[in-house]
């Protein structure tokens, strides 16, 4: 998603953009956004399984000649690595072909691929200021996000939410977050406020068997434009603490964050701490999440309008809505 946001900013400047990726979400999203996608076969490095880790390394080595061939075919003026395992062979191929390389890091720590490529990159654009990552090579831009949602009134009209209703948006990624899904479905079953619960595909069938109450909308998945409307219409968000914290902040929303406890390097806890220490969020550890706690925290925030407004202001203060444009400018300078 950050790469797509940068690609849109580049396209707005008249640049041509092509993607090299795998067979996960990019296979659907890149084409839908109107960009060409060239596929290579790679896998993430599974450090818990020596066999799967060895397979990933073999695939990465085999992908290097394919990446070099694609770059010769595409003939780009600059290459951006998005930090995932696909970026490893492509970034290395760019370096061997002397093509300027720029890296982006969306999390609160450098991933393995970026740690390996950073010493050779023209610039590393960071979502957060990171200890030991300073100097001219590193620049804090924030995490690139899609364009902000539209007008709150229009968004509420589209979603059928009255102007004076309090609205809580619950989400956890395209697949969903099971602990949040289960807690929210129980906590908000008879809530006296509107709930937009985007469950994700994994738990939707199970949750949809429960009898919904008035004002509780269970949604399997929202396209980007519809999700932007949901953010524009909400008063409070309940979510994980991945890269979406930057979208939450850009929309000036208070949040209840439940970091995914098994995220790489526990970066979601760091993301949640950034929001909480900035006064924009309340953090509930995943192990402490219950329906009763979630309902109590939500009701307390919605009743305390002064605190909710202060959190919204703090959230806007953390936002970096121009991140995609800033990364795009860095790429255009590298290309020149």
């Amino acid at each position: 998603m950050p790469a797509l946001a940068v690609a849109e900013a580049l396209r707005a400047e008249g640049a041509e953009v092509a993607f090299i990726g795998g067979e996960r979400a990019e296979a659907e999203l890149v084409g839908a956004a109107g960009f060409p996608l060239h596929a290579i076969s790679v896998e993430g490095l599974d450090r818990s399984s020596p066999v799967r880790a060895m397979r990933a390394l073999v695939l990465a080595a085999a992908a290097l000649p394919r990446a070099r061939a694609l770059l010769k075919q595409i003939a780009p003026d600059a290459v951006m690595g998005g930090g995932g395992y696909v970026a490893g062979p492509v970034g290395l191929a760019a370096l061997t072909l002397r093509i300027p390389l720029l890296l982006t890091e969306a999390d609160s720590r450098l991933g393995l691929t970026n740690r390996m490529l950073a010493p050779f990159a023209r610039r590393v654009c960071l979502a957060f200021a990171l200890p030991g990552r300073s100097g001219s090579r590193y620049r804090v831009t924030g995490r690139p996000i899609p364009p902000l949602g539209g007008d709150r009134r229009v968004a509420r009209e589209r979603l059928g939410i009255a102007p004076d209703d309090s609205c809580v948006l619950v989400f956890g990624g395209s697949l969903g977050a099971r602990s949040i899904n289960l807690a929210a479905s129980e906590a908000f079953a008879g809530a006296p406020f509107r709930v937009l619960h985007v469950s994700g595909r994994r738990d939707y069938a199970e949750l949809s068997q429960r009898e919904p109450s008035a004002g509780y909308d269970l949604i399997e998945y929202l396209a980007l434009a519809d999700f932007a409307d949901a953010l524009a219409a909400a008063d409070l968000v309940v979510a994980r603490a991945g890269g979406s914290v930057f979208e939450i902040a850009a929309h000036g929303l208070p949040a209840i964050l439940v970091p995914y406890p098994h995220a790489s390097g526990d970066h979601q806890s760091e993301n949640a701490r950034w929001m909480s220490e900035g006064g924009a969020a309340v953090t509930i550890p995943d192990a402490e999440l219950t329906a009763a706690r979630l309902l109590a925290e939500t009701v307390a925030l919605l009743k305390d309008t002064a605190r909710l407004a202060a959190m919204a202001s703090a959230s806007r203060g953390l936002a970096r809505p121009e991140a995609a444009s800033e990364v795009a400018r860095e790429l255009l300078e590298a290309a020149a």
Side-chain angles (χ1 to χ4, degrees):
M1 298 311 299
L4 277 172
V6 174
E8 293 286 2
L10 286 166
R11 182 157 60 183
E13 294 291 332
E16 295 181 23
V17 181
F19 278 74
I20 298 178
E23 300 176 352
R24 297 180 64 184
E26 61 263 38
E28 174 184 347
L29 295 173
V30 171
F35 297 104
L37 174 66
H38 305 271
I40 60 174
S41 181
V42 286
E43 291 181 359
L45 186 64
D46 187 342
R47 302 179 191 183
S48 65
S49 168
V51 173
R52 287 197 291 270
M54 182 58 67
R55 171 183 165 81
L57 291 173
V58 170
L59 284 174
L64 181 58
R66 165 71 172 162
R68 279 177 54 88
L70 284 172
L71 290 180
K72 288 181 180 180
Q73 172 191 329
I74 299 167
D77 296 295
V79 169
M80 186 190 92
Y85 51 83
V86 174
V90 181
L92 185 57
L95 293 172
T96 64
L97 295 172
R98 299 185 180 277
I99 302 171
L101 175 66
L102 181 141
L103 303 176
T104 60
E105 179 56 67
D107 294 322
S108 53
R109 60 185 294 275
L110 279 187
L112 177 61
T113 297
N114 278 347
R115 290 201 302 274
M116 291 190 301
L117 294 175
F120 312 102
R122 173 188 172 96
R123 188 83 74 238
V124 183
C125 294
L126 303 172
F128 303 91
L130 303 181
R133 307 293 177 178
S134 59
S136 60
R137 177 172 280 113
Y138 296 93
R139 180 184 172 192
V140 179
T141 59
R143 182 184 193 266
I145 61 171
L148 298 184
D151 180 82
R152 175 180 170 88
R153 179 187 60 80
V154 174
R156 285 193 159 217
E157 286 179 358
R158 287 176 181 164
L159 295 167
I161 303 170
D164 296 330
D165 283 351
S166 293
C167 177
V168 177
L169 173 63
V170 182
F171 66 90
S174 58
L175 289 177
R178 185 161 180 80
S179 60
I180 293 178
N181 281 340
L182 295 179
S185 63
E186 180 182 343
F188 302 146
F193 44 80
R194 286 296 303 272
V195 178
L196 298 178
H197 183 171
V198 187
S199 67
R201 299 185 174 108
R202 182 172 45 206
D203 297 330
Y204 179 77
E206 175 185 342
L207 297 176
S208 62
Q209 294 177 5
R210 306 182 183 189
E211 188 67 28
S213 59
Y216 184 99
D217 296 324
L218 179 67
I219 306 163
E220 180 179 3
Y221 178 78
L222 286 176
L224 280 179
D226 296 325
F227 184 65
D229 275 349
L231 286 167
D235 297 295
L236 177 67
V237 166
V238 177
R240 288 296 195 199
S244 61
V245 296
F246 280 93
E247 289 181 73
I248 293 169
H251 283 84
L253 287 170
I256 296 174
L257 300 176
V258 185
Y260 178 56
H262 306 297
S264 174
D266 198 26
H267 68 264
Q268 287 207 9
S269 292
E270 291 295 324
N271 294 355
R273 187 175 298 113
W274 173 71
M275 288 283 282
S276 294
E277 290 181 352
V282 171
T283 298
I284 303 177
D286 191 82
E288 299 176 16
L289 179 66
T290 63
R293 170 117 184 241
L294 179 59
L295 180 60
E297 295 280 7
T298 302
V299 170
L301 286 174
L302 291 178
K303 284 185 175 180
D304 192 343
T305 55
R307 183 185 180 196
L308 204 65
M311 290 175 68
S313 178
S315 188
R316 284 189 293 271
L318 293 172
R320 301 291 294 262
E322 300 300 319
S325 296
E326 291 183 20
V327 175
R329 282 195 292 272
E330 289 282 356
L331 270 167
L332 291 172
E333 288 179 11

